[in-house]
């Protein structure tokens, strides 16, 4: 693939960095305390619209320069610009009449500026600083209702986790700078492709992986993600649809460095698989729609981390974009989601499939996945990571095949088969298209087969647990499993107590802090 001409590369770099610059200027123009709220929101929307247009131009320049990965990363800039515009319009109505709107505008635009600089940066030091700034700006949004103990708890826990992640990333940057003499990301990725990257480089890759795991709310450091619902709904949408995805983006950006370090890959696969499986199981027990969405985000981040660990950065990028769009819509339309949930609860429950029916459906789904892969000339058997993902896709098709009454006519069978066939064809088609467009980000890992086995095992156990709960809810194991899942497996309690000891919560109407033995109610 020929390199981008210098003129186009310079134009792409300038346009990409213009996006965070526009958000910064907007924060100064619209976020001042002396600017009336209606004026502030108009300026914010204009700023977000201009940033969105600039990010689209960046994507166009990257396409013209024949740099597929640069164009793919530019899509994330387009996502940030578009998300900023939608959230600005929504927030203007949602926060109408609220005190402190200029403060919200200021930190909202600062968060978008930091997020877009993380995506636009080609220097690891700038990326780390921008990620740190994004977290600090988001911290102020989480404390928009700072007198609420639950909001303080979520902000304190996120602060401690994020600062640990920032320290890991800063240490990794220092190690790489001392070893390679540069922090240019493209140069670091090229150097990581060497046959023997060295112990220092591998240690840096492990630190990057730890930073990403902490920032993406992986178990057991996930509790703050569930407790940010005390912040305004636009903040929840910004966090779940945008900021939390930056961890996955950093892993995609530094994929060659991660692929050169089996220990980092193993960490991502193990933690990502367990988080995706356990958080997905917990989400099925939640009553609150927003908390269920939060657990869903945790599970989806685990799945994206898993894809990065298995060496599928192109599918992780697609997952990032799709999840952001879905979760923004879900949070901004939370009221409608609640209405639909109530209607669903009042409708007669569908017939629960038997164990035999689910196993038969799993076999049919496996056959559909194999057929879909063959139709696109994709061979999962030759790629262990892709084979593991194909297994997960097959399990995801089971509910589509084993729900409701069995069809008795040929037309009914076709209608039942159409959705899973379409999903399988689209998934492998997207993989084939993205892989052909983007090419290999890094060579296959020597431990890819072992990592695939870990992922398959985790999702097979998840499928077994879901089948048991669905088919035999009165079973002794199901009854024991439900309270543990409803309690979030009690993985967050120790960190809550630690946070209260390190950083007690102070109520506005009392001088005494909340003691560790008087924990606020957790979702």
């Amino acid at each position: 693939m020929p390199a981008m001409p210098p003129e186009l590369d310079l134009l792409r770099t300038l346009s990409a960095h213009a996006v965070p610059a526009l958000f910064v200027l907007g924060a100064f123009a619209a976020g001042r305390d002396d600017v009336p709220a209606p004026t502030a929101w108009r300026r914010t929307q204009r700023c977000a619209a201009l940033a969105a247009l600039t990010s689209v131009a960046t994507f166009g320049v990257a396409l013209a320069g024949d740099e597929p990965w640069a164009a793919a990363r530019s899509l994330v800039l387009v996502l940030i610009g578009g998300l900023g515009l939608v959230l600005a319009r929504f927030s203007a109505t949602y926060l109408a009449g609220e005190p402190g709107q200029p403060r919200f505008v200021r930190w909202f635009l600062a968060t978008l500026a930091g997020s877009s600089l993380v995506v636009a940066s080609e220097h690891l030091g700038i990326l780390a600083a921008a990620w740190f700034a994004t977290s600090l700006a988001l911290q102020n949004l989480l404390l928009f209702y700072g007198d609420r103990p639950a909001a303080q708890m979520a902000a304190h826990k996120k602060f401690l986790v994020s600062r640990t992640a920032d320290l890991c990333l800063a240490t990794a940057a220092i190690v790489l700078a001392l070893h390679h003499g540069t922090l240019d990301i493209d140069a670091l990725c090229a150097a990581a492709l060497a046959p023997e990257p060295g112990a220092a480089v591998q240690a840096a890759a492990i630190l990057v992986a730890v930073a990403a795991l902490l920032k993406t709310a992986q178990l057991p450091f996930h509790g703050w993600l569930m407790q940010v619902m005390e912040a305004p709904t636009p903040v929840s949408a910004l966090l779940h649809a945008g900021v939390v995805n930056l961890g996955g983006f950093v892993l995609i950006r530094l994929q060659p460095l991660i692929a050169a370090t089996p220990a980092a890959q193993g960490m991502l696969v193990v933690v990502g698989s367990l988080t995706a499986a356990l958080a997905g199981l917990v989400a099925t027990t939640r009553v609150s729609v927003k908390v269920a969405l939060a657990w869903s985000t945790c599970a989806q981040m685990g799945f994206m981390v898993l894809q990065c660990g298995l060496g599928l950065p192109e599918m992780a990028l697609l997952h990032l974009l799709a999840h952001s769009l879905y979760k923004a819509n879900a949070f901004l339309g939370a009221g409608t989601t609640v209405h639909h949930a109530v209607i669903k609860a009042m409708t007669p429950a569908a017939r629960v499939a038997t164990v035999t029916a689910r196993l038969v459906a799993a076999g049919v789904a496996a056959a559909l996945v194999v057929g879909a892969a063959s139709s696109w000339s994709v061979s999962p058997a030759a790629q262990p990571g892709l084979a593991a993902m194909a297994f997960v896709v097959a399990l995801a098709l089971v509910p589509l095949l084993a729900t409701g009454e069995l069809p008795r006519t040929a037309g009914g069978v076709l209608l039942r088969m159409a959705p899973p066939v379409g999903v399988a064809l689209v998934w492998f088609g997207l993989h084939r298209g993205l892989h052909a467009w983007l090419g290999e980000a890094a060579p296959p890992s020597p431990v890819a087969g072992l990592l695939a086995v870990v992922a398959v095992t985790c999702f097979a156990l998840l499928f077994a647990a879901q089948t048991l709960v669905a088919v035999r809810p009165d079973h002794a194991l199901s009854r024991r499993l439900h309270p543990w899942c409803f309690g979030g497996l009690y993985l967050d309690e120790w960190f809550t107590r630690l946070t209260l000891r390190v950083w007690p919560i102070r109520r506005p109407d009392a001088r005494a802090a909340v003691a560790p033995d008087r924990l606020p109610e957790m979702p």
Side-chain angles (χ1 to χ4, degrees):
M1 186 76 63
M4 180 183 293
E7 298 81 4
L8 281 179
D9 188 41
L10 178 61
L11 180 59
R12 179 186 61 82
T13 302
L14 291 176
S15 60
H17 285 80
V19 176
L22 286 169
F23 284 127
V24 170
L25 291 175
F28 281 105
R32 299 197 311 270
D33 291 332
D34 59 341
V35 177
T39 303
W41 285 118
R42 283 196 298 271
R43 292 178 180 178
T44 300
Q45 292 173 30
R46 290 169 186 167
C47 168
L50 187 56
L53 291 174
T54 305
S55 61
V56 171
T58 303
F59 174 68
V61 173
L63 280 180
D66 202 15
E67 281 285 345
W69 272 107
R73 292 192 298 268
S74 298
L75 280 176
V76 184
L77 269 184
V78 175
L79 174 69
I80 293 174
L83 184 63
L85 178 58
V86 171
L87 289 179
R89 293 177 62 87
F90 181 87
S91 301
T93 303
Y94 184 89
L95 295 172
E98 285 274 6
Q101 290 185 65
R103 176 167 54 92
F104 183 94
V105 166
R106 184 163 58 245
W107 293 116
F108 170 72
L109 290 172
T111 303
L112 292 174
S115 300
S116 54
L117 185 56
V118 169
V119 177
S121 176
E122 298 180 2
H123 187 279
L124 187 58
I126 296 176
L127 185 152
W131 209 2
F132 172 72
T134 301
S135 180
L136 290 184
L138 181 65
Q139 188 83 5
N140 286 275
L141 291 176
L142 295 178
L143 288 171
F144 185 75
Y145 299 123
D147 57 337
R148 299 181 180 180
Q152 294 180 48
M153 171 58 69
H156 291 180
K157 291 168 79 171
K158 185 187 184 303
F159 185 91
L160 294 175
V161 170
S162 295
R163 296 298 74 75
T164 305
D166 291 330
L167 179 61
C168 290
L169 187 59
T171 304
I174 293 171
V175 170
L176 291 172
L178 292 176
H179 189 271
H180 291 298
T182 181
L183 284 178
D184 180 80
I185 294 178
D186 290 335
L188 293 175
C189 290
L193 298 176
E196 295 293 336
V201 175
Q202 295 192 40
I206 292 173
L207 288 172
V208 171
V210 171
L213 291 173
L214 291 173
K215 292 271 192 174
T216 52
Q218 299 298 280
L219 300 179
F221 302 98
H222 63 289
W224 60 268
L225 187 64
M226 315 306 154
Q227 296 153 16
V228 297
M229 302 309 164
E230 290 296 319
T233 294
V235 178
S236 299
L238 176 64
L239 171 62
H240 287 262
V243 176
V244 76
N245 292 281
L246 291 178
F249 174 82
V250 171
L251 290 176
I252 295 168
R253 189 73 175 92
L254 299 173
Q255 181 64 27
L257 181 65
I258 299 297
T261 311
Q265 285 186 299
M267 185 186 306
L268 294 176
V269 169
V270 171
V271 177
S273 298
L274 289 174
T275 299
L278 295 176
L281 193 61
V282 171
T284 61
T285 68
R286 310 318 291 176
V287 178
S288 168
V289 172
K290 282 192 174 182
V291 175
L293 287 174
W295 277 103
S296 168
T297 297
C298 184
Q300 295 296 328
M301 291 301 100
F303 195 73
M304 183 167 60
V305 164
L306 168 63
Q307 289 173 314
C308 292
L310 290 175
L312 297 171
E314 70 281 357
M315 299 310 293
L317 180 64
L318 177 66
H319 192 93
L320 185 156
L321 296 170
H323 174 261
S324 294
L325 294 173
Y326 161 72
K327 203 52 64 81
N329 176 73
F331 271 98
L332 296 184
T336 304
T337 304
V338 172
H339 178 67
H340 289 165
V342 172
I343 293 178
K344 182 178 179 181
M346 293 188 297
T347 57
R351 184 184 63 85
V352 177
T354 63
V355 174
T356 302
R358 287 178 67 88
L359 291 177
V360 170
V364 174
L368 291 179
V369 165
V370 172
S374 300
S375 67
W376 288 105
S377 300
V378 175
S379 177
Q383 306 171 60
L386 183 59
M389 287 298 98
F391 177 81
V392 175
V393 171
L395 294 184
L397 298 180
V398 171
L400 297 177
L401 292 167
T403 301
E405 297 290 337
L406 293 176
R408 300 179 182 277
T409 63
V413 172
L414 290 176
L415 288 175
R416 176 66 61 86
M417 297 293 291
V421 169
V423 170
L425 287 173
V426 168
W427 196 89
F428 281 103
L430 288 172
H431 167 76
R432 175 66 185 271
L434 287 173
H435 190 75
W437 179 43
L438 299 173
E440 290 281 358
S445 170
V447 296
L450 178 61
L451 299 179
V453 170
V454 172
V456 167
T457 301
C458 285
F459 282 94
L461 291 175
L462 171 64
F463 177 75
Q466 289 178 330
T467 298
L468 175 66
V469 173
V471 176
R472 292 288 305 278
D474 58 339
H475 193 276
L477 183 57
S478 297
R479 292 200 302 268
R480 290 191 178 189
L481 189 61
H482 185 274
W484 279 86
C485 291
F486 188 78
L489 305 176
Y490 305 105
L491 293 173
D492 184 50
E493 273 61 22
W494 70 273
F495 191 56
T496 299
R497 290 184 170 87
L498 175 63
T499 302
L500 285 170
R501 289 190 175 94
V502 173
W503 195 347
I505 295 173
R506 297 192 177 276
R507 298 182 184 274
D509 56 347
R511 293 184 179 181
V514 176
D517 59 344
R518 298 187 63 187
L519 303 179
E521 183 179 355
M522 295 294 108

